[in-house]
Amino acid sequence: TVYEADNEWYTPSANALSADEAAEVGARYIWDGFGDSIDGKFVSLFYSHHPSGTRAYWCGMVADSADAFANDRSLYWFTVCAISGEGIDIGQFLVGDRESSLEIRELMMQGVISQEPVIDDTQLELSAKIASEYAQRHFSNSTVVSVELQRATPNAIDRDSDGNVFVTDYFLTFSITDSTGREAEVSILMESEQLGWIMTQHNDIIPGYNYDAPGGIG
């Protein structure tokens, strides 16, 4: 079931995919990225074409029901080029419940949890290899040429018998560049090796665009 969100700013161009076509593209994108079918799910779509970008997009959210969107219970999100259908961004909501995520964020701000994880070289090499494989599937018409760890974000915690907090899992986010120079931000869970997201939309920002100039978006 496809919903096209009300949009007072942008109207799809005559060359753009329809909302239904964009939902089909998104379904294939999710299948290719995660191996999951969204048959029977609900898709909410929003068209955008910011003046700071080189292309227009369809941005989608996938959930089990219409009510799930309002209740912050979406399953996946994706962004595709509104004209060509090329996959731009994709992700799934893997982080545990909202309260746990907020607790981790607060503990990080308090300095209780270190943002500098201790990851051995073997684990880092394996995670980088997995992230690179996801990126290569995304860059279907080019080749991955470099992989670099960008950051490690705590995703799960536990406490010992003395009440000391320690991190049990991280999101490892890599900067991965292909042979055309396009960069993907790829994030995976260290323990389960599951893909969190792939994001490439930042490559489409017009170089030197001034958001505060006349015609900018502030």
Side-chain angles (χ1 to χ4, degrees), residues 31-201:
W31 177 263
D32 290 341
F34 301 111
D36 294 335
S37 169
I38 64 168
D39 286 354
K41 306 298 184 185
F42 289 71
V43 181
S44 176
L45 284 162
F46 183 85
Y47 179 88
S48 69
H49 192 180
H50 298 297
S52 57
T54 59
R55 62 173 109 195
Y57 307 104
W58 277 110
C59 306
M61 300 281 282
V62 180
D64 283 323
S65 67
D67 293 338
F69 294 120
N71 296 323
D72 197 22
R73 292 292 183 269
S74 296
L75 302 172
Y76 305 96
W77 51 269
F78 64 87
T79 301
V80 298
C81 176
I83 305 300
S84 69
E86 176 188 350
I88 305 297
D89 299 337
I90 188 173
Q92 62 176 323
F93 294 92
L94 283 173
V95 180
D97 60 79
R98 185 174 179 81
E99 290 184 3
S100 175
S101 299
L102 292 174
E103 180 185 15
I104 290 173
R105 185 179 304 173
E106 184 175 343
L107 291 172
M108 289 174 63
M109 293 177 63
Q110 295 173 354
V112 175
I113 298 176
S114 172
Q115 298 187 48
E116 297 296 331
V118 178
I119 305 173
D120 62 62
D121 291 341
T122 301
Q123 177 65 63
L124 184 58
E125 184 177 345
L126 174 61
S127 297
K129 180 176 182 295
I130 293 168
S132 180
E133 290 171 351
Y134 279 121
Q136 186 57 71
R137 288 163 63 182
H138 177 85
F139 293 132
S140 57
N141 297 316
S142 59
T143 305
V144 168
V145 296
S146 69
V147 182
E148 181 180 352
L149 179 65
Q150 196 173 67
R151 62 183 179 275
T153 308
N155 180 66
I157 58 174
D158 202 350
R159 289 175 170 81
D160 61 22
S161 57
D162 296 323
N164 298 311
V165 180
F166 59 95
V167 179
T168 58
D169 198 8
Y170 289 92
F171 263 122
L172 299 182
T173 303
F174 295 85
S175 171
I176 301 179
T177 306
D178 75 351
S179 52
T180 71
R182 192 170 178 85
E183 181 200 47
E185 181 180 286
V186 181
S187 189
I188 62 169
L189 278 173
M190 187 173 69
E191 291 298 318
S192 67
E193 302 174 356
Q194 285 182 283
L195 174 66
W197 64 80
I198 299 175
M199 296 193 294
T200 68
Q201 189 174 157

